[in-house]
Amino acid sequence: MSNTVITKLNERYEQLNAETRATAEKMSSALRGAAKRVEQSSTELFESLVKSGEKRQKELAKTAKTASKKAAQKISTLDELRGKLAEALGLPTQSDVEALNKKLNTLTRKVNKLAKEAS
């Protein structure tokens, strides 16, 4: 081969080598850019998910509070119905039983006191 051909081949090799390095640097920059975008996107997605989760948690808490109030109202209504039914049937109410228990406890204490004094 002649020197001219070898020189041209060397020049072409150097040109291709420079183009390859430039392309490799561009690809490396593109990968870093893509990694940065993925990082930003994942951060944004995470923050969005956190906000959605917090919103859902507040909604669930509100729903639970409403359900709890409704349940308390139903229990109160049920207690009223029990009281009315007991009254209609002539049965003592819970407050009547509690009052009787207090009187019974008072009488028991007095009897015990009298029994000790008699001994």
Side-chain angles (χ1 to χ4, degrees):
M1 277 202 211
S2 71
N3 283 339
T4 310
V5 173
I6 292 174
T7 304
K8 286 184 180 183
L9 284 174
N10 281 336
E11 288 174 0
R12 182 67 179 141
Y13 171 77
E14 292 299 325
Q15 181 184 7
L16 288 173
N17 193 17
E19 288 175 6
T20 303
R21 284 185 185 168
T23 301
E25 286 178 19
K26 286 181 183 179
M27 288 177 62
S28 179
S29 294
L31 286 172
R32 283 192 298 271
K36 182 68 176 173
R37 253 195 205 166
V38 166
E39 181 182 345
Q40 289 172 342
S41 295
S42 63
T43 300
E44 291 170 4
L45 176 61
F46 178 77
E47 290 172 0
S48 171
L49 291 172
V50 168
K51 287 180 184 178
S52 294
E54 288 172 346
K55 182 180 177 183
R56 182 69 176 139
Q57 186 175 6
K58 288 178 184 177
E59 290 170 355
L60 289 173
K62 187 177 179 180
T63 302
K65 189 174 181 179
T66 302
S68 178
K69 285 182 181 179
K70 286 181 181 179
Q73 290 171 348
K74 298 236 183 239
I75 289 172
S76 177
T77 303
L78 182 61
D79 286 342
E80 287 178 29
L81 289 174
R82 282 185 195 150
K84 288 179 182 179
L85 179 62
E87 186 179 325
L89 294 173
L91 300 174
T93 63
Q94 185 175 358
S95 60
D96 293 339
V97 172
E98 288 173 359
L100 286 173
N101 275 333
K102 285 182 183 179
K103 287 181 184 179
L104 182 61
N105 287 336
T106 302
L107 288 173
T108 302
R109 283 193 298 273
K110 287 181 181 180
V111 168
N112 288 338
K113 184 178 178 183
L114 289 173
K116 283 182 183 178
E117 288 175 1
S119 306

